[in-house]
Amino acid sequence: MALTGATDMDKLKELSQKTYKEQAVWFMNAYWDDAPGVGKDEKLCESIWEWANIFINLDPKKKKGCELNEFDAHRFLEKIGETLTVKDMRAFLKSVDIDFNMKVSFTEYLVSRFKVKWTALIHAPQDDAKGKAERAAAQKAVEEAQSKAAEAKESAAKAREEETKAVKSAKLAAERELIAKKEEKEAKDAEADCKTKEEESQAAEKSAKESEAAAKETEKKAVFEEAAAKAKEETLKKAEAAAKAKADEAKAAENESKAAAAESKAALDKVLAEEKKYKNKLASLEAKSKDSSLGQVKRGKAANELEQLKNKPTLALQTAKVTLTAAEKKAAKAASKSQKAAAKATEAAEKVTADRLEAEEARKKAEVSRAKAEDDAKAATASRQAAETARKAAEAALAAAKEAREKAEASAKAAEAARIKADEAKASAMAARKAADADLEAAQQAFADAEAKLKDLLSKPRGSGQGADWWLKREFEEAKKYMPKRKLKKLEKKSSK
């Protein structure tokens, strides 16, 4: 179909506003046989196909687009390995932009690339009405087959993916159900164990409380006995001090009595010594007065002195003797009495000291007993507190175990429900996958029909439109990519018959 523009430039602009595919087909129809002879070079046809698709991918409008801006045109050149500097790019754009709109259509690029006359291109014969109608029918069949294949392939892939997920989910749900039931049993066993431990801890706490009470009672008794022992010790200390004081007084009295007795005896001894001296003097003078061996004068002198001595008063001496003898006896008697009193007081003091030492020992033992009872009471209290803590921990553990058991039961029920749901989803996914397989079979048939139409179309002799035929065939080959490989092999095997 010819372009309708009034001038050649209008026709060029009209052609440049067609889609990239339409521009590519127009160019290939025009130069299928003439230079550059795309119909004779399959590689060149593929290059035009690739370039058109790069234009489509770079254009935000995709397949509906028709020309690229400067930036995207530069990106196009980069993708085909023809990167230019900014200056060279501007020069290239100026040389390519035939309609001077600062954009590059696919037609403008091909004209520049192959150095053909654009004025000849816009007037090149295209497909006739009949050929175009036939091609449109084949094109429609290809597009429908492509659409069905894409949908079927996507649906089949999704269905298989969902089926795989469903099978995996069903297996996982079954495993989780087993785990949940196992955990439920373990939780129940743990709860029973915690219940037993709670009862044991309660019994232990009760026993510890009883032991603590007994220990405190023992401690109380020990404190009382310690206090009594201390009081007794203090009393005996005072008694010992008093006894010692009394013994000291008795000893002092004994010492005084002994001193008085000694003094009396000394005085008596002195008097007796004087008496003995007096008597010895008398005896000596009397012996001299009667000693015939002595002269008359000496005997006379001795007799005279004897008389004088006998006439000398001796009453004071005798009185002193009597008095001192009596005093000495009295002092000796007093000394004996005070000695006995001192001995008795000393004995009493020693007995009190012994009692005090015994009380001190009893007090020390009471202190040890009280300290031990205190330690025992503290230990009993600590044991009771530990038992109480253990009981509380056991109660908390039981509560946690109960909660865990309830959660495990709920999890087991949820896991069972999830497994049932997963099994249902698995069955549904398998059914969906079978339906998708059926759709793939339908898509395969659609491809077979489209290929038959395409073969019929390509078998007819044509004077023009060979570029459009090639493009249609190339699109069909591209559409085959949407068919699964196993389906495609089946289709090719069927087509070769």
Side-chain angles (χ1 to χ4, degrees):
M1 185 176 181
L3 299 171
T4 60
T7 66
D8 285 352
M9 182 57 72
D10 290 338
K11 287 180 172 61
L12 176 63
K13 289 181 179 180
E14 182 182 348
L15 177 58
S16 293
Q17 290 302 307
K18 289 181 179 294
T19 64
Y20 294 117
K21 172 188 171 181
E22 291 171 337
Q23 292 181 58
V25 169
W26 187 286
F27 184 87
M28 292 176 75
N29 283 339
Y31 296 103
W32 187 258
D33 293 319
D34 297 336
V38 293
K40 301 172 186 177
D41 190 345
E42 182 65 22
K43 188 175 180 181
L44 181 56
C45 292
E46 277 295 325
S47 295
I48 295 173
W49 167 271
E50 289 176 6
W51 297 337
N53 279 286
I54 294 173
F55 264 71
I56 290 170
N57 290 331
L58 291 173
D59 196 322
K61 296 178 181 180
K62 301 304 177 185
K63 289 183 179 182
K64 294 181 180 181
C66 58
E67 56 189 359
L68 298 178
N69 57 33
E70 179 183 349
F71 176 73
D72 289 328
H74 195 182
R75 291 173 64 197
F76 168 77
L77 294 176
E78 285 180 344
K79 287 185 178 293
I80 64 172
E82 297 181 6
T83 306
L84 300 176
T85 63
V86 175
K87 182 178 180 181
D88 291 341
M89 181 61 195
R90 296 276 167 81
F92 169 77
L93 183 62
K94 186 175 181 181
S95 66
V96 172
D97 188 14
I98 302 171
D99 58 5
F100 308 108
N101 66 346
M102 297 301 292
K103 290 185 179 181
V104 179
S105 68
F106 195 50
T107 296
E108 288 175 324
Y109 172 70
L110 293 175
V111 168
S112 174
R113 174 88 187 196
F114 295 106
K115 305 295 191 257
V116 297
K117 294 181 179 181
W118 63 271
T119 52
L121 175 62
I122 59 176
H123 293 289
Q126 295 296 311
D127 210 359
D128 56 23
K130 183 180 178 181
K132 187 173 182 180
E134 290 175 345
R135 192 173 290 104
Q139 179 73 41
K140 183 178 180 182
V142 169
E143 288 176 352
E144 287 178 353
Q146 183 178 2
S147 177
K148 285 183 179 180
E151 290 177 3
K153 183 179 180 182
E154 183 179 358
S155 297
K158 187 174 181 182
R160 290 183 186 282
E161 182 181 356
E162 292 299 324
E163 181 183 21
T164 301
K165 286 181 180 178
V167 170
K168 186 177 179 181
S169 296
K171 182 181 178 182
L172 183 60
E175 291 173 353
R176 285 177 176 172
E177 182 182 17
L178 288 175
I179 292 170
K181 286 185 176 179
K182 182 183 177 184
E183 289 177 347
E184 179 185 20
K185 183 179 181 304
E186 290 174 350
K188 286 181 178 179
D189 292 342
E191 182 182 20
D193 183 58
C194 287
K195 182 66 178 175
T196 301
K197 287 182 178 178
E198 182 195 32
E199 291 171 354
E200 290 174 352
S201 66
Q202 287 175 345
E205 183 183 20
K206 182 181 178 183
S207 176
K209 283 183 177 179
E210 292 172 353
S211 297
E212 181 186 25
K216 286 189 174 180
E217 185 62 30
T218 301
E219 181 188 19
K220 183 179 178 182
K221 184 178 178 182
V223 169
F224 176 78
E225 289 177 351
E226 181 188 20
K230 284 183 177 180
K232 185 177 180 180
E233 183 185 17
E234 288 300 319
T235 299
L236 288 173
K237 279 183 178 179
K238 291 178 181 178
E240 180 186 23
K244 282 186 176 180
K246 191 173 180 181
D248 291 342
E249 289 176 0
K251 190 69 177 176
E254 179 190 7
N255 291 336
E256 288 178 3
S257 296
K258 284 183 177 180
E263 189 176 339
S264 296
K265 186 175 182 304
L268 178 60
D269 289 343
K270 188 175 180 181
V271 171
L272 290 176
E274 288 296 326
E275 182 183 26
K276 184 178 180 181
K277 184 179 178 182
Y278 175 72
K279 287 180 177 182
N280 289 335
K281 185 69 175 174
L282 286 177
S284 175
L285 288 173
E286 187 173 357
K288 283 182 177 183
S289 66
K290 291 179 179 182
D291 187 3
S292 58
S293 63
L294 295 174
Q296 185 66 34
V297 177
K298 286 183 180 181
R299 286 197 303 270
K301 184 179 179 182
N304 185 36
E305 287 179 358
L306 176 63
E307 283 301 323
Q308 289 180 0
L309 187 60
K310 286 181 179 179
N311 292 327
K312 192 174 181 179
T314 61
L315 181 59
L317 183 61
Q318 291 176 355
T319 300
K321 179 181 176 182
V322 171
T323 301
L324 288 173
T325 299
E328 192 270 337
K329 287 181 180 181
K330 186 177 180 181
K333 187 176 181 181
S336 177
K337 186 177 180 180
S338 63
Q339 185 177 1
K340 290 179 180 179
K344 188 176 181 180
T346 300
E347 183 181 356
E350 289 175 350
K351 186 177 185 307
V352 172
T353 297
D355 291 343
R356 192 265 304 163
L357 291 172
E358 184 179 347
E360 183 179 355
E361 187 64 26
R363 186 260 304 164
K364 290 179 179 179
K365 287 182 179 179
E367 285 180 346
V368 172
S369 297
R370 188 265 309 154
K372 184 177 183 303
E374 188 177 279
D375 291 341
D376 291 344
K378 287 180 179 178
T381 298
S383 296
R384 190 265 305 159
Q385 290 174 343
E388 184 178 352
T389 301
R391 188 258 307 159
K392 289 180 179 178
E395 288 177 350
L398 177 61
K402 183 179 179 181
E403 183 180 356
R405 188 258 306 158
E406 291 173 350
K407 285 183 178 179
E409 286 178 346
S411 295
K413 288 180 181 178
E416 184 179 5
R419 190 261 307 158
I420 293 171
K421 187 176 180 181
D423 287 341
E424 292 173 351
K426 176 182 173 183
S428 177
M430 291 177 72
R433 190 261 306 159
K434 289 179 181 178
D437 286 343
D439 290 341
L440 272 176
E441 292 293 334
Q444 179 183 343
Q445 186 58 47
F447 255 96
D449 294 342
E451 188 173 26
K453 287 184 179 181
L454 183 60
K455 283 183 177 180
D456 181 62
L457 175 67
L458 297 176
S459 66
K460 295 178 180 181
R462 294 187 182 279
S464 60
Q466 291 93 336
D469 289 344
W470 184 92
W471 198 272
L472 181 59
K473 184 179 179 181
R474 185 63 180 79
E475 284 184 332
F476 184 77
E477 292 299 321
E478 190 70 17
K480 285 183 180 180
K481 293 180 181 179
Y482 292 95
M483 287 289 288
K485 290 182 179 179
R486 58 189 181 87
K487 297 291 183 182
L488 188 58
K489 287 181 180 180
K490 187 176 180 181
L491 178 63
E492 288 174 350
K493 186 175 180 182
K494 184 176 179 182
S495 299
S496 63
K497 292 180 180 180

